[in-house]
Amino acid sequence: MTDNYILTLTADDRVGLVAAVAGFLAEHEGFILDSQQYADLEQDRFFMRVEFKGAGAKFPASLDALTEKFSLIGKQYALDWTLVSGAVKPNIVIAVSKGSHCLNDLLHRWKTGGLPANIVGVVSNHESLRDLTEWHGVAFHHFPATDDNRAEQEQAILDVMEQGQADYLILARYMQILSDDLSARLAGRCINIHHSFLPGFKGAKPYHRAHARGVKLIGATAHFVSAELDEGPIIEQAVERVDHRASVEEMIRIGRDIEAQVLAKAVKWAGEHRILLNGNRTVVFR
């Protein structure tokens, strides 16, 4: 069976981009399975994701050969592009603290084949979730975090990512603020789940503060990490209605469910190469 391939690209918007890609695939007997595009008229930028497979003798025999041939189109139209095999799943490292709900959800999805990514390790500043992680057959790394060892602790996380050839670091309720240096090094490669429908109720005890304000919506936000705390490009958000009868404990339970679902969607879309950065925003081809 012929592998599927995924092409993603961004460029300054101009006439002929879609025709150039479709024409290239037609010329090389590529069969388009899914194609989505978006033109940001405010920024004059164009975004595209195409999934396709070979359908004839003219189709290049390897990803390298296909990449070499498409590079001519990339150069002609000044594209910022990637071309990958759909059969290859990205590797991810998950960072956690004590909360288990997001980690447990991702591990379950991965173990049952529902996550288009390979979990190559879990890192934590606490030992609490070692048993859960190792029960799923994933390596667990305990790196305590203090004000005095921050640089060494973050380097240890990077070492785990390098050893596992990880494409992404997933912060699954990791209760440590990444340094500006690490945030910059992982720009576009680090996804966080935030405990509210951003922006709002940042910092400690968000559900207690929400309860005190009598909120009617509980939400969660998955976003890329940036040096500005909780201000990175947003990938996905969800909310659920509550009313005056909801206790703090009930809000926390509802919030955990939403957090797990939203983070899982963000990781899935990253694994399927559906997220393209657009400045401080994202384009997500669902």
Side-chain angles (χ1 to χ4, degrees):
M1 180 179 293
T2 304
D3 285 346
N4 293 352
Y5 296 91
I6 300 172
L7 170 69
T8 57
L9 63 88
T10 69
D12 290 337
D13 204 3
R14 58 185 289 189
V15 173
L17 287 173
V18 175
V21 173
F24 171 85
L25 292 175
E27 179 184 354
H28 294 88
E29 296 187 318
F31 184 84
I32 295 176
L33 301 169
D34 181 70
S35 179
Q36 299 181 64
Q37 53 271 335
Y38 167 68
D40 184 341
L41 300 182
E42 294 180 359
Q43 301 298 324
D44 199 29
R45 293 289 292 176
F46 178 79
F47 303 82
M48 189 174 190
R49 179 187 184 274
V50 184
E51 187 169 356
F52 61 94
K53 66 178 182 178
K58 293 183 181 180
F59 193 78
S62 68
L63 176 61
D64 288 342
L66 185 62
T67 299
E68 182 178 358
K69 290 182 179 295
F70 188 78
S71 64
L72 299 177
I73 300 292
K75 183 177 181 180
Q76 178 182 354
Y77 288 91
L79 305 179
D80 180 5
W81 60 282
T82 62
L83 179 60
V84 300
S85 168
V88 178
K89 298 179 181 179
N91 295 332
I92 65 173
V93 169
I94 302 175
V96 296
S97 290
K98 293 183 178 180
S100 63
H101 53 291
C102 288
L103 173 64
N104 186 57
D105 183 78
L106 291 175
L107 287 170
H108 174 73
R109 292 173 188 268
W110 169 73
K111 197 71 172 181
T112 56
L115 193 71
N118 299 313
I119 301 176
V120 297
V122 172
V123 299
S124 179
N125 56 321
H126 296 281
E127 284 276 12
S128 309
L129 300 177
R130 177 181 292 276
D131 289 347
L132 172 65
T133 301
E134 293 181 345
W135 186 85
H136 284 85
V138 177
F140 183 88
H141 306 270
H142 178 217
F143 301 135
T146 68
D147 291 338
D148 296 329
N149 76 340
R150 182 57 55 88
E152 293 81 2
Q153 194 253 7
E154 290 189 342
Q155 183 58 53
I157 294 175
L158 287 173
D159 290 343
V160 171
M161 293 186 67
E162 182 177 356
Q163 292 163 10
Q165 297 182 311
D167 301 281
Y168 291 95
L169 176 65
I170 308 300
L171 307 185
R173 299 301 287 145
Y174 180 62
M175 307 306 289
Q176 295 289 315
I177 298 174
L178 302 190
S179 68
D180 291 352
D181 178 66
L182 184 58
S183 297
R185 293 178 68 174
L186 294 178
R189 299 176 54 209
C190 184
I191 297 174
N192 182 46
I193 184 67
H194 192 272
H195 50 229
S196 72
F197 190 73
L198 287 174
F201 299 113
K202 299 179 182 179
K205 296 186 176 180
Y207 293 107
H208 292 75
R209 296 167 60 200
H211 183 264
R213 289 288 303 275
V215 301
K216 299 298 184 284
L217 289 173
I218 290 177
T221 300
H223 63 94
F224 283 114
V225 170
S226 66
E228 296 76 26
L229 182 62
D230 299 328
E231 296 291 340
I234 291 171
I235 301 169
E236 173 65 342
Q237 296 181 291
V239 296
E240 185 168 331
R241 296 199 66 85
V242 295
D243 61 24
H244 58 278
R245 295 170 293 181
S247 65
V248 171
E249 291 74 20
E250 180 69 5
M251 286 185 175
I252 292 173
R253 185 193 65 76
I254 295 171
R256 285 173 177 167
D257 289 344
I258 302 172
E259 289 167 13
Q261 294 167 19
V262 170
L263 182 59
K265 286 183 179 180
V267 174
K268 179 179 185 292
W269 293 335
E272 294 174 344
H273 306 277
R274 296 183 180 277
I275 308 169
L276 283 70
L277 282 168
N278 182 19
N280 198 40
R281 298 186 294 168
T282 63
V283 173
V284 181
F285 290 122
R286 305 188 184 187

